[in-house]
Amino acid sequence: MAAKDTGSLRALRRTNSERMLSALMEHGALHRAELARICGVSRTTVSTIVADLITGGVVIEVVGEQVARAGIDASEVDGRARGFLRANPSAGAAAGLDFTLERVWCHLADLSGGTLASDGVRVGRDTPWQERLAAGLALLDDLLEQTGRGRGNLVGVAIGVPGPIDLQTGVVGPSLPGQAWAGVNVAAEFGRRIDVPVLVENNTRLEAVAEFTWGAGRDVRDVLYLGLSTGIGSGLLVDGNLHHGGARGGGGEIGHLSADSNGEPCPCGNRGCLVQYASLQAVLAALAPVLGADAGLDELLAAAADGQPDTLRVLRDAGELTGRVLANICNLLNPERIIVGGELARAGDLILDPIRATLRRTAMSLTRDVDVVAAELDLGARAGASGAAALVLRQTDQLVAALLSAPDRQPNEAV
């Protein structure tokens, strides 16, 4: 029985250690009393565990630092306990890789979430997944070298790819035509080439994590992110936790909710899907007679800025249909904020205003006042890669154990 009790105490200690480190990474510098309150443990537990984390180099004590998030100067705190704790930025690094149709981006973050390096390379649309994988690893190694680090400093890597990831098999499902990663177990393939924990997620959901962590969602807990791009995807964070896509990973496909049950057939098998009306490709196709068959995002935005009537009408129609779909989602999920990203979000209020107006007209009264805002971060792969690095810091199992310099030692059993 004593051995069982000892094992339970060690497990509880590990859980408390992870909880404290997570709190420090999320909130920044904290006083011990504040850390105890956030984690729901006693000050004795905090002191005992923090001593180990400081010894292992995972946590550092900062004296006299102004705590920016709360506007508290350490000099104002009781003189007996002026030390603030924070995650040691140099204790490890998290890497995020994001793959879009024509770009690979890598983002390196330190343990406090600060950017160490971020860069991308272009790839051809028809580049096979094996070459994309090699390009991603080469970019990762280059950034690690630039920052004086190696793969041994990584606590994990998260990979963003288009399409749904089957949560049972780990295989990427089909999304856009010609998707290079379809049918590939991305985590397994990267795991054969890099000896660190590997996470794989849909890249729109990683954009949601990025906006929640560093962008337009950083001051709320329940966020729905909508990406209006070549396709239309979404990411949902509930109480700060990413929803990974349901039973098989197929959740979040807002683009394939029907906006018109009598509409044209969609390749997904449905009719009148939102993606057929409100994606970048759909908007450009509707405006081809006006802007030309070869027009792209720049021409669209220029026409909108000039007040071209057809362009304004198509954007308004796309926003209204999107708002109608979002109203149903708000009735179901009641998010605190909706963040609209992707290329079409660059049209600003020309598409956001009809979304807001339609949502508030058609959602029920309890959910219609949701805040609808534009994404703040860069588009596409850059945002996805930073979200991937944030996901590593949020979800890598046993992060403390991976960071401690001597994880096999037997510390004091107090919890």
Side-chain angles (χ1 to χ4, degrees):
M1 180 65 96
K4 181 177 179 180
D5 288 344
T6 299
S8 298
L9 287 170
R10 288 176 180 166
L12 181 56
R13 184 188 183 87
R14 286 194 296 270
T15 298
N16 284 333
S17 297
E18 297 288 349
R19 189 180 301 162
M20 290 179 201
L21 180 59
S22 295
L24 291 171
M25 289 193 298
E26 179 177 357
H27 297 286
L30 294 172
H31 190 268
R32 283 172 171 80
E34 225 178 345
L35 185 60
R37 178 183 57 79
I38 290 172
C39 296
V41 298
S42 69
R43 295 192 188 188
T44 300
T45 297
V46 168
S47 295
T48 304
I49 292 178
V50 161
D52 243 15
L53 298 179
I54 291 175
T55 300
V58 176
V59 168
I60 56 176
E61 192 165 15
V62 183
V63 177
E65 175 179 311
Q66 185 167 342
V67 185
R69 70 170 183 85
I72 301 172
D73 192 307
S75 64
E76 300 173 3
V77 179
D78 189 324
R80 294 170 297 175
R82 292 184 178 177
F84 284 84
L85 304 167
R86 62 176 296 190
N88 184 358
S90 63
L97 282 166
D98 194 71
F99 295 87
T100 59
L101 190 60
E102 296 181 316
R103 189 177 290 274
V104 182
W105 201 277
C106 182
H107 185 93
L108 283 182
D110 63 29
L111 197 61
S112 67
T115 299
L116 295 171
S118 191
D119 202 0
V121 295
R122 289 194 172 275
V123 294
R125 284 175 168 257
D126 58 350
T127 302
W129 68 264
Q130 294 91 339
E131 294 181 23
R132 291 172 185 265
L133 186 153
L137 288 177
L139 181 59
L140 171 61
D141 287 334
D142 183 52
L143 294 188
L144 285 169
E145 183 178 359
Q146 289 179 28
T147 59
R149 291 167 171 82
R151 292 186 181 182
N153 296 115
L154 293 174
V155 297
V157 178
I159 314 295
V161 294
I165 296 100
D166 190 311
L167 299 182
Q168 296 183 22
T169 67
V171 174
V172 180
S175 55
L176 301 175
Q179 166 55 260
W181 296 103
V184 179
N185 188 320
V186 179
E189 294 298 338
F190 270 90
R192 295 189 182 100
R193 296 163 173 84
I194 186 166
D195 188 24
V196 298
V198 177
L199 304 171
V200 179
E201 186 52 89
N202 171 269
N203 46 18
T204 302
R205 286 198 278 270
L206 292 179
E207 292 172 26
V209 174
E211 286 290 339
F212 178 84
T213 307
W214 293 298
R218 59 186 176 273
D219 59 340
V220 294
R221 299 297 295 173
D222 297 295
V223 169
L224 175 67
Y225 174 84
L226 177 70
L228 298 177
S229 187
T230 304
I232 299 178
S234 70
L236 175 68
L237 289 103
V238 179
D239 195 24
N241 297 309
L242 178 67
H243 179 66
H244 289 283
R248 296 294 296 269
E253 294 295 332
I254 288 180
H256 292 287
L257 294 179
S258 182
D260 180 3
S261 59
N262 296 315
E264 293 296 318
C266 178
C268 77
N270 198 0
R271 280 184 174 271
C273 291
L274 182 63
V275 71
Q276 296 174 292
Y277 304 98
S279 66
L280 175 62
Q281 298 302 103
V283 168
L284 289 174
L287 288 171
V290 177
L291 303 182
D294 295 329
L297 178 63
D298 290 341
E299 290 78 11
L300 169 65
L301 295 176
D306 289 340
Q308 202 282 324
D310 288 314
T311 302
L312 298 182
R313 173 183 55 80
V314 170
L315 287 173
R316 182 181 65 251
D317 291 347
E320 289 177 351
L321 284 172
T322 302
R324 191 182 308 164
V325 169
L326 287 175
N328 291 324
I329 294 173
C330 286
N331 288 347
L332 178 65
L333 300 175
N334 191 22
E336 184 176 358
R337 181 170 297 167
I338 295 174
I339 302 171
V340 182
E343 287 87 348
L344 278 183
R346 291 177 60 185
D349 288 339
L350 294 178
I351 195 164
L352 291 179
D353 279 347
I355 290 176
R356 295 175 182 127
T358 304
L359 195 158
R360 286 168 185 158
R361 187 174 63 250
T362 55
M364 67 181 190
S365 59
L366 286 175
T367 65
R368 67 175 56 143
D369 289 331
V370 59
D371 192 20
V372 179
V373 301
E376 292 183 0
L377 303 180
D378 290 323
L379 295 174
R382 185 194 294 260
S386 67
L391 190 69
V392 170
L393 296 176
R394 286 171 170 270
Q395 295 193 197
T396 298
D397 291 337
Q398 300 179 337
L399 183 57
V400 170
L403 292 168
L404 285 172
S405 57
D408 295 329
R409 68 187 184 281
Q410 302 296 319
N412 187 313
E413 299 299 339
V415 297

